[in-house]
Amino acid sequence: MKTVRNILCFLVPFLLFLTCPMVLYAESARLYHGIDVSQWQGDIDFQSVRDAGIEIVYIRAGEGFSYIDPYFISNYQKARAAGMKIGFYHYVTASTAEEARQQADFFYSLIRDKVIDCRPAMDFESFPELSGEEINEIAAAYLETLEGHLGYLPAFYSNSYDASAVFDSSFTEYPLWVADYEVTQPESTGAWSSWSGFQYSDSGYVPGISGNVDLDYFKDTIFTDKEPAPEEPGAGENITYTVRSGDTLWAIAQRYGTTVSDIASLNGISDPSLIFPGQILIIPQSGNSGSGSTGGSTGQNPGGTPSGETSDTYTVKGGDTLSWIAQYFGTTVQEIASLNNIADPNLIYPGQVLRLPGQVNNVIYHVKAGDTLSAIALRFHSSTAALAYINHIQNPNLIYVGQVLVIPQ
């Protein structure tokens, strides 16, 4: 009997492992293995990921009103080169319907010229001090705005609990991408009859990625109804872009993985803050940049920088002046202007990355569970207002675990 029990102890877990995929495949004739990634995965070898059987990757484009994931462009380019199906998601921080619409506009501005295989997804999972009615109103405003831009339904990302307890039945037209870990099927999909995406682990291992990564299953319904966008030009080939209402040179540069100075130089633009709808710009591609810079990174949040390392750059925001920046970082206008070859100290523009004198050390801090912005400010002898300003934080009461903050010293 002891031998029989030992055999059973081995066979039962093994049989459960074999039957898990069968449970999942019962609902769909075809499931796609996928992952979702952001700056936290660092530099990814997407060819190894694809060779491991991963077919779909959802890439974080950004967060809130203005934050762009520092690996957004490189993840997109490498995943495309590896032949993967691509989707994008955006972390929503809105606290009103109007903010939701603005954030949906921002998300679309990042992805509208990309090849999109899978429905762009709203990731709205943190809503402190908001009522259920307010949460649903914000989600509706965001999704309706994004749908208006896309011309088809975006995806709705939620964990299993929120899908059933927070969001109402008015969202069931949007394909659900649901998170529920260590189970073979989500415990609940709320008002949705089924799911299009199932994030079943947040601690997976995939060759080509250092550390943990989210693992997903996707069904055919996650794919867009839109015809694929035209192939993008190869490395070194310039393309043209027609400026649209609301565009800034900084946003265009971020979208195409280049820099404001390269676009301005190539197009003979003397004032980077002055572009107009209908203007046709030549966009330098990687390998054909006037300065040799690929752009895409900013001093406000260096991708993958471990906590405790320093940054010596600052990204200009709307309303900044060189005198304010110099005063804030304890240096002088002359020093910053000289270091950055600025001929006219009165002329700086949003998105411009300024090098700071060597004595300035900005600590890069990763938010941990239980942190508040005021506590972090106190710890680093700064102020809540200063941290909120330099990190583009709209609501100082809203920070999240893993968020990267620049702490001015």
Side-chain angles (χ1 to χ4, degrees):
M1 286 299 293
K2 185 176 181 180
T3 302
V4 172
R5 284 197 302 271
N6 288 340
I7 293 173
L8 288 173
C9 286
F10 170 79
L11 283 178
V12 169
F14 181 68
L15 290 172
L16 285 173
F17 171 78
L18 289 178
T19 57
C20 283
M22 299 302 293
V23 173
L24 287 166
Y25 275 83
E27 283 196 13
S28 174
R30 177 74 163 97
L31 283 183
Y32 300 83
H33 290 271
I35 57 174
D36 53 276
V37 300
S38 68
Q39 70 186 83
W40 307 119
Q41 279 68 51
D43 191 25
I44 298 173
D45 179 355
F46 277 99
Q47 191 57 58
S48 295
V49 172
R50 183 68 184 90
D51 292 343
I54 303 298
E55 300 166 273
I56 293 176
V57 57
Y58 261 87
I59 298 168
R60 186 176 76 160
E63 172 187 323
F65 296 92
S66 59
Y67 178 74
I68 300 175
D69 190 297
Y71 283 85
F72 164 51
I73 296 294
S74 61
N75 280 341
Y76 168 69
Q77 292 173 339
K78 292 177 182 178
R80 279 209 66 207
M84 300 186 69
K85 299 293 185 183
I86 295 173
F88 299 104
Y89 74 94
H90 175 232
Y91 190 91
V92 178
T93 62
S95 57
T96 67
E98 180 56 32
E99 289 182 355
R101 284 186 279 270
Q102 293 173 6
Q103 293 191 12
D105 289 340
F106 171 63
F107 181 31
Y108 181 68
S109 77
L110 297 179
I111 65 174
R112 65 185 177 190
D113 296 305
K114 302 291 184 288
V115 175
I116 305 174
D117 304 294
C118 304
R119 300 173 187 273
M122 175 193 73
D123 179 3
F124 184 32
E125 55 182 292
S126 178
F127 19 75
E129 301 180 5
L130 292 175
S131 67
E133 182 179 354
E134 290 171 326
I135 294 167
N136 281 270
E137 181 183 0
I138 290 167
Y142 183 96
L143 291 166
E144 289 167 4
T145 302
L146 185 57
E147 181 185 354
H149 287 310
L150 295 170
Y152 56 87
L153 294 171
F156 190 113
Y157 174 86
S158 175
N159 61 62
S160 182
Y161 173 81
D162 287 345
S164 60
V166 177
F167 296 108
D168 61 40
S169 60
S170 64
F171 299 106
T172 55
E173 64 176 321
Y174 299 101
L176 176 65
W177 175 18
V178 64
D180 202 352
Y181 307 139
E182 312 305 330
V183 292
T184 59
Q185 282 281 9
E187 291 185 7
S188 174
T189 55
W192 285 265
S193 60
S194 184
W195 51 265
S196 294
F198 172 28
Q199 186 184 83
Y200 62 90
S201 176
D202 63 348
S203 56
Y205 167 76
V206 174
I209 299 178
S210 299
N212 294 334
V213 65
D214 295 338
L215 301 178
D216 305 271
Y217 287 110
F218 293 105
K219 299 178 183 178
D220 288 328
T221 48
I222 203 66
F223 294 116
T224 68
D225 299 325
K226 186 180 180 182
E227 289 297 317
E231 287 295 311
E232 294 176 341
E237 298 179 21
N238 292 334
I239 63 173
T240 59
Y241 176 79
T242 303
V243 177
R244 306 171 191 180
S245 180
D247 276 340
T248 64
L249 214 55
W250 174 79
I252 296 169
Q254 290 290 300
R255 192 177 308 141
Y256 286 98
T258 183
T259 65
V260 169
S261 59
D262 284 344
I263 298 178
S265 175
L266 194 58
N267 290 273
I269 298 173
S270 57
D271 183 354
S273 65
L274 182 59
I275 58 174
F276 53 87
Q279 182 177 3
I280 297 176
L281 301 176
I282 300 173
I283 309 296
Q285 296 299 282
S286 178
N288 198 14
S289 168
S291 67
S293 171
T294 58
S297 64
T298 67
Q300 66 184 352
N301 198 347
T305 306
S307 178
E309 290 191 10
T310 62
S311 165
D312 59 357
T313 62
Y314 174 77
T315 303
V316 178
K317 296 181 285 295
D320 279 350
T321 64
L322 211 55
S323 60
W324 183 93
I325 295 170
Q327 182 180 12
Y328 189 86
F329 288 101
T331 182
T332 66
V333 170
Q334 291 74 20
E335 284 181 306
I336 298 178
S338 174
L339 195 59
N340 292 275
N341 298 316
I342 297 174
D344 183 356
N346 296 315
L347 181 59
I348 58 175
Y349 51 88
Q352 183 177 5
V353 178
L354 300 178
R355 293 173 59 201
L356 299 173
Q359 74 268 23
V360 176
N361 288 321
N362 290 338
V363 173
I364 306 302
Y365 180 78
H366 294 256
V367 176
K368 302 176 179 62
D371 275 342
T372 63
L373 202 61
S374 58
I376 295 170
L378 183 64
R379 188 181 315 157
F380 288 97
H381 309 289
S382 184
S383 70
T384 302
L387 296 190
Y389 183 84
I390 197 171
N391 289 281
H392 302 274
I393 296 173
Q394 301 291 327
N395 182 356
N397 296 317
L398 179 59
I399 58 175
Y400 57 90
V401 175
Q403 183 175 0
V404 178
L405 301 178
V406 176
I407 313 293
Q409 299 295 290

